[in-house]
């Protein structure tokens, strides 16, 4: 009986250590009047490893890519200016300077050179 209980406790502790992942899929569209471009992407966050996996495909931009990053939230949704949270000032390895491209990168949000708290 003790051996069964110990095994059950060990298995339950292993199961509870599973990471929760959060995925967001999105479609890019121009925000400015007269701008062109389109694309798709996804972002997956792992709350145990604090990894942030991103993919993006974009084409037909009316201007060259100069910076890429994510802004954080504002204290009141939709009001105010949010600072850069991920990217400092561009995402690592993002293809800058062109009007189309692909991106795939996993970064650690524990790295202060990439993530601002």
């Amino acid at each position: 009986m003790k051996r069964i209980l110990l095994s059950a406790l060990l298995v339950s502790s292993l199961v509870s250590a599973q990471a929760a992942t959060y995925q967001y899929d999105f479609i890019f569209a121009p925000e400015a009047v007269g701008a062109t471009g389109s694309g798709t992407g996804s972002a997956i966050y792992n709350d145990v490893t604090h990894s942030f996996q991103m993919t993006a495909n974009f084409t037909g931009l009316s201007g060259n890519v100069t910076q890429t990053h994510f802004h954080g939230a504002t204290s009141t949704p939709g009001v105010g200016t949010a600072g850069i949270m991920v990217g400092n000032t561009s995402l690592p390895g993002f293809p800058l300077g062109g009007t189309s491209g692909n991106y795939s990168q996993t970064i650690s949000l524990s790295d202060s050179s990439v993530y601002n708290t």
Side-chain angles (χ1 to χ4, degrees):
M1 183 64 170
K2 287 182 184 180
R3 190 175 287 167
I4 292 171
L5 180 59
L6 181 58
S7 296
L9 289 173
L10 181 59
V11 168
S12 69
S13 69
L14 292 174
V15 170
S16 65
Q18 296 237 342
T21 57
Y22 306 90
Q23 180 166 346
Y24 180 70
D25 297 310
F26 45 91
I27 296 172
F28 300 118
E31 293 181 359
V33 174
T36 62
S38 63
T40 59
S42 69
I44 302 171
Y45 174 68
N46 180 306
D47 74 344
V48 170
T49 64
H50 303 290
S51 63
F52 192 49
Q53 178 185 12
M54 299 164 287
T55 61
N57 302 296
F58 57 97
T59 188
L61 301 182
S62 49
N64 292 337
V65 176
T66 57
Q67 289 186 344
T68 57
H69 49 258
F70 290 93
H71 286 265
T74 58
S75 56
T76 302
V79 177
T81 303
I84 295 172
M85 294 299 289
V86 180
N88 285 350
T89 61
S90 283
L91 297 169
F94 200 96
L96 301 177
T99 60
S100 64
N102 301 302
Y103 180 69
S104 181
Q105 188 86 1
T106 300
I107 61 173
S108 170
L109 296 183
S110 299
D111 182 350
S112 63
S113 70
V114 175
Y115 179 68
N116 291 325
T117 55

Short mmCIF file of all heavy atoms in Angstrom, two decimals, residues 71-108:
data_model
loop_
_atom_site.label_atom_id
_atom_site.label_comp_id
_atom_site.label_asym_id
_atom_site.label_seq_id
_atom_site.Cartn_x
_atom_site.Cartn_y
_atom_site.Cartn_z
N HIS A 71 4.66 46.33 -27.80
CA HIS A 71 4.43 47.28 -26.71
C HIS A 71 3.67 46.58 -25.60
O HIS A 71 2.91 45.65 -25.85
CB HIS A 71 3.63 48.48 -27.20
CG HIS A 71 4.44 49.41 -28.03
ND1 HIS A 71 5.06 50.52 -27.52
CD2 HIS A 71 4.77 49.39 -29.35
CE1 HIS A 71 5.72 51.15 -28.47
NE2 HIS A 71 5.55 50.47 -29.61
N GLY A 72 3.86 47.04 -24.39
CA GLY A 72 3.13 46.50 -23.25
C GLY A 72 1.74 47.11 -23.15
O GLY A 72 1.32 47.88 -24.01
N ALA A 73 1.07 46.78 -22.09
CA ALA A 73 -0.28 47.30 -21.85
C ALA A 73 -0.20 48.68 -21.20
O ALA A 73 0.80 49.04 -20.59
CB ALA A 73 -1.02 46.35 -20.94
N THR A 74 -1.26 49.44 -21.33
CA THR A 74 -1.39 50.71 -20.61
C THR A 74 -2.22 50.47 -19.36
O THR A 74 -2.94 49.47 -19.27
CB THR A 74 -2.06 51.78 -21.50
OG1 THR A 74 -3.33 51.30 -21.92
CG2 THR A 74 -1.21 52.12 -22.70
N SER A 75 -2.13 51.36 -18.40
CA SER A 75 -2.88 51.16 -17.16
C SER A 75 -4.38 51.22 -17.39
O SER A 75 -5.14 50.56 -16.70
CB SER A 75 -2.45 52.17 -16.09
OG SER A 75 -2.62 53.48 -16.58
N THR A 76 -4.81 52.00 -18.38
CA THR A 76 -6.22 52.03 -18.79
C THR A 76 -6.27 51.57 -20.24
O THR A 76 -5.65 52.20 -21.11
CB THR A 76 -6.79 53.45 -18.68
OG1 THR A 76 -6.64 53.91 -17.34
CG2 THR A 76 -8.26 53.48 -19.08
N PRO A 77 -6.94 50.46 -20.53
CA PRO A 77 -6.95 49.93 -21.90
C PRO A 77 -7.34 50.98 -22.95
O PRO A 77 -8.31 51.71 -22.78
CB PRO A 77 -8.00 48.81 -21.84
CG PRO A 77 -7.99 48.38 -20.41
CD PRO A 77 -7.76 49.65 -19.62
N GLY A 78 -6.51 51.08 -24.00
CA GLY A 78 -6.79 51.99 -25.10
C GLY A 78 -6.46 53.45 -24.84
O GLY A 78 -6.69 54.31 -25.67
N VAL A 79 -5.89 53.75 -23.67
CA VAL A 79 -5.58 55.13 -23.31
C VAL A 79 -4.10 55.23 -22.96
O VAL A 79 -3.57 54.43 -22.20
CB VAL A 79 -6.42 55.60 -22.10
CG1 VAL A 79 -6.05 57.00 -21.68
CG2 VAL A 79 -7.90 55.50 -22.42
N GLY A 80 -3.43 56.23 -23.51
CA GLY A 80 -2.04 56.47 -23.16
C GLY A 80 -1.07 55.78 -24.09
O GLY A 80 -1.46 55.17 -25.09
N THR A 81 0.20 55.89 -23.75
CA THR A 81 1.28 55.32 -24.56
C THR A 81 1.95 54.21 -23.76
O THR A 81 2.31 54.40 -22.61
CB THR A 81 2.32 56.40 -24.91
OG1 THR A 81 1.65 57.47 -25.58
CG2 THR A 81 3.41 55.84 -25.78
N ALA A 82 2.11 53.06 -24.39
CA ALA A 82 2.75 51.92 -23.74
C ALA A 82 4.20 51.82 -24.21
O ALA A 82 4.48 52.02 -25.39
CB ALA A 82 2.01 50.64 -24.07
N GLY A 83 5.09 51.51 -23.31
CA GLY A 83 6.49 51.33 -23.66
C GLY A 83 6.74 50.00 -24.34
O GLY A 83 5.89 49.11 -24.35
N ILE A 84 7.92 49.89 -24.94
CA ILE A 84 8.32 48.63 -25.58
C ILE A 84 8.57 47.59 -24.50
O ILE A 84 9.32 47.83 -23.56
CB ILE A 84 9.59 48.83 -26.43
CG1 ILE A 84 9.31 49.78 -27.59
CG2 ILE A 84 10.10 47.49 -26.95
CD1 ILE A 84 10.55 50.19 -28.36
N MET A 85 7.92 46.43 -24.63
CA MET A 85 8.11 45.33 -23.68
C MET A 85 9.02 44.25 -24.24
O MET A 85 9.82 43.68 -23.52
CB MET A 85 6.77 44.71 -23.29
CG MET A 85 5.86 45.65 -22.51
SD MET A 85 6.55 46.19 -20.94
CE MET A 85 6.46 44.71 -19.99
N VAL A 86 8.88 43.92 -25.52
CA VAL A 86 9.68 42.87 -26.14
C VAL A 86 10.29 43.44 -27.41
O VAL A 86 9.58 43.90 -28.30
CB VAL A 86 8.84 41.62 -26.48
CG1 VAL A 86 9.70 40.54 -27.12
CG2 VAL A 86 8.14 41.08 -25.25
N GLY A 87 11.62 43.44 -27.48
CA GLY A 87 12.27 43.87 -28.69
C GLY A 87 13.41 44.85 -28.55
O GLY A 87 14.32 44.84 -29.35
N ASN A 88 13.43 45.67 -27.60
CA ASN A 88 14.51 46.63 -27.28
C ASN A 88 15.36 47.09 -28.47
O ASN A 88 16.54 46.92 -28.45
CB ASN A 88 15.45 46.04 -26.25
CG ASN A 88 14.89 46.02 -24.86
OD1 ASN A 88 13.88 46.61 -24.58
ND2 ASN A 88 15.55 45.33 -23.97
N THR A 89 15.21 47.63 -29.43
CA THR A 89 14.09 48.20 -30.12
C THR A 89 13.58 47.32 -31.26
O THR A 89 12.53 47.61 -31.81
CB THR A 89 14.42 49.58 -30.69
OG1 THR A 89 15.49 49.44 -31.61
CG2 THR A 89 14.82 50.57 -29.65
N SER A 90 14.32 46.27 -31.61
CA SER A 90 13.84 45.34 -32.63
C SER A 90 13.98 43.90 -32.14
O SER A 90 14.87 43.59 -31.35
CB SER A 90 14.61 45.50 -33.94
OG SER A 90 14.15 46.65 -34.63
N LEU A 91 13.11 43.05 -32.65
CA LEU A 91 13.16 41.63 -32.30
C LEU A 91 14.44 41.01 -32.86
O LEU A 91 14.84 41.30 -33.99
CB LEU A 91 11.95 40.91 -32.88
CG LEU A 91 10.60 41.37 -32.34
CD1 LEU A 91 9.47 40.78 -33.17
CD2 LEU A 91 10.45 40.99 -30.88
N PRO A 92 15.11 40.14 -32.09
CA PRO A 92 16.36 39.52 -32.55
C PRO A 92 16.14 38.74 -33.85
O PRO A 92 15.22 37.95 -33.97
CB PRO A 92 16.72 38.56 -31.42
CG PRO A 92 15.89 38.95 -30.25
CD PRO A 92 14.70 39.67 -30.77
N GLY A 93 16.98 39.02 -34.84
CA GLY A 93 16.95 38.27 -36.09
C GLY A 93 15.86 38.66 -37.07
O GLY A 93 15.73 38.04 -38.12
N PHE A 94 15.06 39.70 -36.77
CA PHE A 94 13.99 40.08 -37.68
C PHE A 94 14.61 40.74 -38.92
O PHE A 94 15.49 41.57 -38.81
CB PHE A 94 13.02 41.05 -37.02
CG PHE A 94 11.69 41.11 -37.72
CD1 PHE A 94 10.64 40.35 -37.27
CD2 PHE A 94 11.51 41.89 -38.85
CE1 PHE A 94 9.40 40.38 -37.91
CE2 PHE A 94 10.28 41.93 -39.51
CZ PHE A 94 9.23 41.17 -39.03
N PRO A 95 14.13 40.37 -40.12
CA PRO A 95 14.71 40.92 -41.35
C PRO A 95 14.31 42.39 -41.57
O PRO A 95 13.21 42.69 -42.01
CB PRO A 95 14.14 40.02 -42.45
CG PRO A 95 12.85 39.50 -41.88
CD PRO A 95 13.07 39.40 -40.40
N LEU A 96 15.21 43.31 -41.22
CA LEU A 96 14.95 44.73 -41.38
C LEU A 96 15.37 45.19 -42.78
O LEU A 96 16.20 44.57 -43.42
CB LEU A 96 15.74 45.53 -40.33
CG LEU A 96 15.44 45.19 -38.87
CD1 LEU A 96 16.34 46.00 -37.94
CD2 LEU A 96 13.98 45.42 -38.53
N GLY A 97 14.78 46.28 -43.22
CA GLY A 97 15.20 46.90 -44.47
C GLY A 97 14.42 46.49 -45.71
O GLY A 97 14.55 47.12 -46.74
N GLY A 98 13.60 45.48 -45.65
CA GLY A 98 12.87 45.01 -46.83
C GLY A 98 11.38 45.27 -46.74
O GLY A 98 10.88 45.78 -45.73
N THR A 99 10.69 44.90 -47.80
CA THR A 99 9.24 45.07 -47.84
C THR A 99 8.49 43.74 -47.76
O THR A 99 7.27 43.70 -47.80
CB THR A 99 8.81 45.80 -49.14
OG1 THR A 99 9.24 45.03 -50.26
CG2 THR A 99 9.41 47.20 -49.20
N SER A 100 9.24 42.65 -47.66
CA SER A 100 8.64 41.33 -47.46
C SER A 100 9.64 40.44 -46.76
O SER A 100 10.85 40.71 -46.75
CB SER A 100 8.22 40.72 -48.80
OG SER A 100 9.34 40.49 -49.61
N GLY A 101 9.15 39.38 -46.15
CA GLY A 101 10.07 38.47 -45.47
C GLY A 101 9.36 37.46 -44.60
O GLY A 101 8.13 37.43 -44.51
N ASN A 102 10.18 36.65 -43.95
CA ASN A 102 9.71 35.61 -43.03
C ASN A 102 10.51 35.73 -41.75
O ASN A 102 11.69 36.11 -41.78
CB ASN A 102 9.92 34.22 -43.62
CG ASN A 102 9.19 34.04 -44.92
OD1 ASN A 102 7.98 34.19 -44.98
ND2 ASN A 102 9.92 33.75 -45.99
N TYR A 103 9.89 35.35 -40.65
CA TYR A 103 10.56 35.43 -39.35
C TYR A 103 10.13 34.24 -38.51
O TYR A 103 8.96 33.89 -38.47
CB TYR A 103 10.18 36.72 -38.64
CG TYR A 103 10.80 36.91 -37.28
CD1 TYR A 103 12.16 37.14 -37.15
CD2 TYR A 103 10.03 36.90 -36.13
CE1 TYR A 103 12.74 37.34 -35.90
CE2 TYR A 103 10.59 37.10 -34.88
CZ TYR A 103 11.95 37.33 -34.77
OH TYR A 103 12.51 37.52 -33.54
N SER A 104 11.10 33.62 -37.86
CA SER A 104 10.81 32.54 -36.92
C SER A 104 11.90 32.57 -35.85
O SER A 104 13.08 32.41 -36.16
CB SER A 104 10.80 31.19 -37.64
OG SER A 104 10.51 30.16 -36.72
N GLN A 105 11.49 32.79 -34.62
CA GLN A 105 12.47 32.92 -33.54
C GLN A 105 11.81 32.56 -32.22
O GLN A 105 10.64 32.86 -32.00
CB GLN A 105 12.96 34.37 -33.49
CG GLN A 105 14.09 34.63 -32.55
CD GLN A 105 15.44 34.38 -33.19
OE1 GLN A 105 15.54 34.01 -34.35
NE2 GLN A 105 16.48 34.56 -32.45
N THR A 106 12.57 31.94 -31.34
CA THR A 106 12.13 31.72 -29.97
C THR A 106 13.09 32.49 -29.07
O THR A 106 14.30 32.32 -29.18
CB THR A 106 12.14 30.23 -29.60
OG1 THR A 106 11.25 29.53 -30.49
CG2 THR A 106 11.70 30.01 -28.16
N ILE A 107 12.54 33.35 -28.24
CA ILE A 107 13.37 34.15 -27.34
C ILE A 107 12.99 33.84 -25.90
O ILE A 107 11.89 33.37 -25.61
CB ILE A 107 13.23 35.65 -27.61
CG1 ILE A 107 11.79 36.12 -27.41
CG2 ILE A 107 13.72 36.01 -29.01
CD1 ILE A 107 11.60 37.62 -27.50
N SER A 108 13.91 34.12 -25.00
CA SER A 108 13.66 33.95 -23.58
C SER A 108 13.25 35.29 -22.99
O SER A 108 13.99 36.28 -23.11
CB SER A 108 14.91 33.45 -22.87
OG SER A 108 14.72 33.50 -21.46
#
